[in-house]
Amino acid sequence: MPSLKLGVPKGSLQDSTVELFARAGWRISVNSRSYYPAIDDPEIECMLVRAQEMARYVEHGGLDCGLTGNDWIIESGADVQEIAELVYSKTSLARVRWVLAVAENSSINSVKDLEGKVIATEVVHITQKYLERNGVKARVEFSWGATEVKVPKLADAIVEITETGSSLRANRLRIVDTLLESSTRFIANRAALSDPWKREKIDSLAMLLDGAIKAYSRVGLLLNVRRADLDNLLAALPSLRNPTISQLSDPNWVAINTIVEEKTVRQLIPKLKAARAEGIVEYPLNKVVY
């Protein structure tokens, strides 16, 4: 039986990736003692790999495909094929930022003030390119972790990843500039894509993972309304596409099925009720595929 070698990011993205696969239809079971998670698909072999290394292993064929941040693809310089952008991170459905940060009381207020300074970061290549673009010469040191605590005693500034900036503020750091905005990418080995079976499997994975991402922030709505009130109700009803309208057994009534942004529901349901809708049901979604 053919098999697809899939890299699952170990570390900060691990739990959210396993949850995403579950919503897409694949159950991944991670054992803390093994780097080879079980998956309920005999055609897929999983391996836990650090996101920082994922693109390199995909490029060289150790893995057929995997998930990692666009930041680590850039940092490694790996030649891989991007299949899909999947906008999710450790705690949210949002992109992350690599930012230049300094101590709150630092005299550094722009990249130009870094001349001759020391910068600590995990993304040495990205930081060096940033300095080159701005015509600044500074020493960039690789940080093995706990980067926030290195300012100001061990470094004048850091380049660190952030979702909300809360960790930086907690460590009394101030953001000076954003170097890069990044999101998770589903990537594949170029040779693997030349295999028709692997290409089809990879494309199916990408489609369903993307559908699961789109479903995170949406819900379905079912409701009934008199045909005479239909136009007024539709005017109040946003939808992903035109809503589905079905005739009920009573010719004076129709049923409506639609998909809306979950954050709008608390304002929307009272409006629908005011438009004389009845039997309103909200239900969760696992996948939304266009």
Side-chain angles (χ1 to χ4, degrees):
M1 177 184 293
S3 179
L4 186 75
K5 295 175 291 185
L6 169 68
V8 176
K10 180 176 175 57
S12 62
L13 278 178
Q14 179 177 314
D15 290 345
S16 54
T17 299
V18 170
E19 180 185 348
L20 175 62
F21 269 83
R23 292 179 67 101
W26 285 271
R27 303 293 175 180
I28 297 176
S29 301
V30 179
N31 186 323
S32 60
R33 297 181 179 180
S34 174
Y35 281 83
Y36 298 93
I39 185 170
D40 62 347
D41 186 335
E43 296 178 342
I44 298 177
E45 297 177 21
C46 290
M47 183 176 182
L48 288 175
V49 177
R50 284 172 56 85
Q52 294 91 325
E53 302 174 294
M54 185 74 72
R56 180 159 50 88
Y57 290 124
V58 171
E59 176 187 21
H60 297 302
L63 297 167
D64 295 315
C65 57
L67 294 95
T68 187
N70 184 51
D71 44 3
W72 297 117
I73 300 171
I74 295 171
E75 179 68 12
S76 67
D79 180 21
V80 294
Q81 178 65 50
E82 180 182 320
I83 304 300
E85 179 184 25
L86 303 172
V87 182
Y88 75 98
S89 55
K90 178 181 179 181
T91 60
S92 66
L93 297 179
R95 293 175 174 84
V96 296
R97 294 184 298 151
W98 283 93
V99 299
L100 171 67
V102 298
E104 286 180 344
N105 60 356
S106 172
S107 61
I108 297 172
N109 293 303
S110 75
V111 61
K112 299 298 183 182
D113 298 327
L114 293 172
E115 186 71 34
K117 304 293 187 182
V118 176
I119 306 167
T121 184
E122 284 187 80
V123 287
V124 172
H125 177 73
I126 289 172
T127 303
Q128 289 173 335
K129 290 295 183 182
Y130 169 73
L131 294 173
E132 290 174 10
R133 290 196 304 270
N134 287 278
V136 172
K137 291 184 178 180
R139 190 167 86 245
V140 181
E141 296 183 343
F142 179 75
S143 173
W144 292 93
T147 307
E148 295 100 327
V149 304
K150 295 179 179 177
V151 174
K153 292 185 177 180
L154 301 178
D156 300 293
I158 64 171
V159 171
E160 180 66 327
I161 194 169
T162 182
E163 288 187 42
T164 65
S166 59
S167 177
L168 295 173
R169 290 191 294 271
N171 285 279
R172 303 181 66 82
L173 298 176
R174 169 171 52 86
I175 295 175
V176 174
D177 197 7
T178 297
L179 282 69
L180 176 71
E181 190 176 77
S182 180
S183 61
T184 306
R185 308 296 169 94
F186 183 42
I187 59 173
N189 172 270
R190 295 190 183 279
L193 292 174
S194 65
D195 180 310
W197 182 88
K198 289 185 177 181
R199 178 77 202 216
E200 182 179 1
K201 190 73 174 180
I202 288 169
D203 287 344
S204 294
L205 272 168
M207 178 182 66
L208 294 173
L209 290 170
D210 182 63
I213 289 283
K214 288 181 170 64
Y216 267 114
S217 59
R218 296 181 172 97
V219 295
L221 284 181
L222 288 171
L223 53 116
N224 299 330
V225 67
R226 290 182 185 274
R227 186 172 290 279
D229 297 317
L230 180 58
D231 289 343
N232 288 336
L233 185 136
L234 291 178
L237 185 65
S239 65
L240 184 62
R241 291 288 190 268
N242 291 330
T244 299
I245 302 173
S246 304
Q247 178 66 55
L248 296 179
S249 57
D250 185 336
N252 294 318
W253 286 80
V254 295
I256 295 177
N257 189 357
T258 191
I259 296 172
V260 298
E261 293 289 335
E262 185 176 18
K263 63 184 179 183
T264 68
V265 170
R266 61 176 180 261
Q267 290 89 24
L268 181 59
I269 288 181
K271 291 180 181 179
L272 297 176
K273 188 64 177 175
R276 305 184 68 180
E278 296 185 9
I280 302 171
V281 177
E282 175 187 346
Y283 57 92
L285 304 170
N286 279 334
K287 290 178 280 295
V288 176
V289 179
Y290 293 129

